[in-house]
Amino acid sequence: MKQDRIQAFRKQFFEGVSAREWRDWRWQLRHRIRDLEGLERLIPLTDDEREAVRRRRGALPVGFTPYYAALIDPDQSDDPIRKTMIPATAEFVRSPGEMADPLGEDPHSPVPGLVHTYPDKVLFLVTDFCATYCRYCTRSRMVGSGEFLPDKRMWERALEYIASHTEVRDVLLSGGDPLILSDDRLDWLLQRLHAIPHVEFLRIGTKIPAVMPQRITPDLVKMLRRYHPLFFSIHFTHPRELTAEVATACNRLADAGIPMGSQTVLLKGVNDDAETMKSLMLGLLKMRVKPYYLHQCDAVAGSAHFRTPISSGKDLIRSLHGYTTGYAVPMYMLDAPGGGGKVPLTPNYIEGREDDVVTVRNHDGRLYQYHDPA
Ligand SMILES: *Cc1c(COP(=O)(O)O)cnc(C)c1O
């Protein structure tokens, strides 16, 4: 069904493009939908979307791969994937509490491209370039601006910092998207990081397996498997993303021994209902991706139309817990504004305590007592 749709889309809008070209990630990158003309060719835009694309200024470009565009139902103006990729004029609205740099990353940046918020781990922003730009991007202030183009001199300074900070146990490569780099450049970077004795494990934070699964080639995974322990944190948004192409990509990664965790941003009207979330989390498990984090949407400027109340996130976690395996339940996290770091938003299952007896509420709402001497 989905396969038919992707093929039909290629034949309709990319006539003359062979299946082989379509499967080439560099072709996908070159043919990204990036402007009004490109959008209008594929999707009848609403007046609001057209105006938003025209008015858009500054950072956070419009851009997504033809492969990802094929997942959008063009006839639905509230299509979930469409909402995350096509600008709306709501992006220009500033709401209370919103910031350009909601996580306070810039003040925690000891050298360009490195964020050191937690004692034993660093975030290494290796490029500002993404295969697709999410409208709710936490780093909308800098992605796609060309400030963090892959630059070995900048990387050298970051590597020097990591090498001289022996407390750094864990390096998370992000950006932008590290998988936008060529195999050779990524190889170079991983090899340098891997050679630092106190760096115990490496992670790649990426959305590419979901939006451009063609990037996960046998050559790429052959190179990656030399740098174990290497983990992937993959940004997934909606169950519709779980196509045969994505299954192939995840299989290759899992077969190369790369543990994968998912990161999903809770988004209003996109994935904030129990059925959608359940289907995404269970679908990920089938692809050997462990649901890792469900993120409360950061208060980045112009994101109010995406944000849901924390209470609805807690309800979603409750709807998963007890219903299905714990493997399918992510941790629900708030990234505290201003550099406070991630804080778990766990639903409260403890109803109260009387002397040595704690009362808990289970998944179907019944109360149970547990003897728990102080
Ligand atoms: C999220 C984040 C990390 C990684 O955190 P984990 O909880 O280990 O996944 C590292 N550094 C920064 C600055 C982050 O925001």
Side-chain angles (χ1 to χ4, degrees):
M1 165 69 192
K2 271 183 208 148
Q3 237 35 46
D4 293 351
R5 177 176 170 155
I6 294 172
Q7 272 217 30
F9 178 91
R10 170 169 62 87
K11 290 191 171 138
Q12 183 179 353
F13 295 108
F14 295 90
E15 223 191 318
V17 172
S18 68
R20 192 198 170 106
E21 281 175 297
W22 179 267
R23 281 197 304 267
D24 173 358
W25 67 276
R26 293 189 183 276
W27 183 92
Q28 288 285 335
L29 263 192
R30 274 198 308 275
H31 292 84
R32 278 172 309 140
I33 293 98
R34 303 179 60 184
D35 53 22
L36 200 54
E37 204 191 328
L39 287 165
E40 301 259 34
R41 199 171 81 80
L42 307 179
I43 299 160
L45 296 186
T46 64
D47 291 343
D48 185 78
E49 289 167 333
R50 198 172 297 115
E51 190 191 334
V53 178
R54 286 210 183 105
R55 264 175 67 191
R56 206 195 56 76
R57 297 267 176 281
L60 194 61
V62 174
F64 50 99
T65 55
Y67 163 82
Y68 204 49
L71 304 186
I72 296 174
D73 178 350
D75 300 325
Q76 302 268 300
S77 61
D78 63 349
D79 179 272
I81 291 177
R82 172 186 193 136
K83 281 190 193 172
T84 66
M85 289 291 127
I86 303 181
T89 57
E91 272 183 27
F92 308 119
V93 178
R94 285 291 191 121
S95 303
E98 289 183 349
M99 288 166 267
D101 174 20
L103 309 189
E105 291 181 331
D106 297 341
H108 285 94
S109 181
V111 298
L114 218 55
V115 184
H116 196 176
T117 307
Y118 302 92
D120 73 347
K121 56 189 178 193
V122 292
L123 181 64
F124 188 172
L125 308 176
V126 298
T127 170
D128 74 358
F129 194 80
C130 280
T132 61
Y133 292 101
C134 312
R135 302 324 299 169
Y136 49 89
C137 180
T138 295
R139 299 200 185 94
S140 57
R141 68 188 184 282
M142 58 171 162
V143 291
S145 64
E147 274 173 54
F148 286 86
L149 290 174
D151 173 345
K152 276 197 186 165
R153 255 175 319 175
M154 198 180 90
W155 288 353
E156 286 287 2
R157 285 188 65 194
L159 288 165
E160 216 170 275
Y161 179 92
I162 296 166
S164 63
H165 284 74
T166 53
E167 73 277 19
V168 176
R169 191 199 306 278
D170 162 6
V171 178
L172 170 55
L173 301 184
S174 182
D177 199 312
L179 293 187
I180 215 77
L181 302 174
S182 68
D183 290 4
D184 284 350
R185 280 185 173 244
L186 199 55
D187 190 9
W188 182 89
L189 199 54
L190 289 171
Q191 180 243 312
R192 290 287 303 268
L193 287 164
H194 196 67
I196 301 173
H198 54 268
V199 173
E200 293 174 4
F201 95 112
L202 297 172
R203 270 189 292 175
I204 291 180
T206 175
K207 190 182 169 91
I208 280 181
V211 299
M212 193 172 68
Q214 299 80 4
R215 174 70 185 97
I216 312 301
T217 60
D219 281 346
L220 175 72
V221 295
K222 194 170 148 201
M223 179 275 282
L224 293 175
R225 66 189 306 162
R226 294 207 306 270
Y227 300 109
H228 279 312
L230 173 69
F231 282 52
F232 264 43
S233 290
I234 310 177
H235 182 170
F236 281 104
T237 303
H238 193 274
R240 204 190 290 160
E241 293 172 338
L242 307 180
T243 61
E245 286 88 335
V246 170
T248 300
C250 289
N251 260 327
R252 285 181 181 160
L253 291 165
D255 288 349
I258 298 172
M260 291 175 282
S262 68
Q263 309 209 106
T264 296
V265 182
L266 182 55
L267 299 168
K268 194 196 285 178
V270 173
N271 57 20
D272 64 337
D273 63 286
E275 271 320 300
T276 303
M277 195 55 77
K278 212 174 279 176
S279 141
L280 176 59
M281 298 297 132
L282 291 171
L284 287 169
L285 271 190
K286 283 204 282 188
M287 296 193 179
R288 291 186 277 174
V289 180
K290 163 75 185 87
Y292 178 43
Y293 285 155
L294 175 64
H295 293 282
Q296 173 66 15
C297 185
D298 292 324
V300 66
S303 66
H305 56 302
F306 282 119
R307 270 178 280 132
T308 52
I310 288 175
S311 59
S312 63
K314 285 188 177 182
D315 289 345
L316 282 176
I317 297 294
R318 265 188 193 281
S319 74
L320 290 168
H321 254 304
Y323 171 85
T324 187
T325 169
Y327 274 108
V329 186
M331 278 181 282
Y332 179 35
M333 305 298 267
L334 169 72
D335 226 315
K342 294 183 185 71
V343 177
L345 301 174
T346 316
N348 189 19
Y349 295 96
I350 297 181
E351 290 289 318
R353 164 188 285 275
E354 224 170 292
D355 300 324
D356 285 351
V357 176
V358 167
T359 302
V360 294
R361 191 179 287 279
N362 81 343
H363 63 276
D364 57 10
R366 279 180 289 190
L367 298 176
Y368 293 84
Q369 295 183 323
Y370 177 78
H371 189 73
D372 178 47

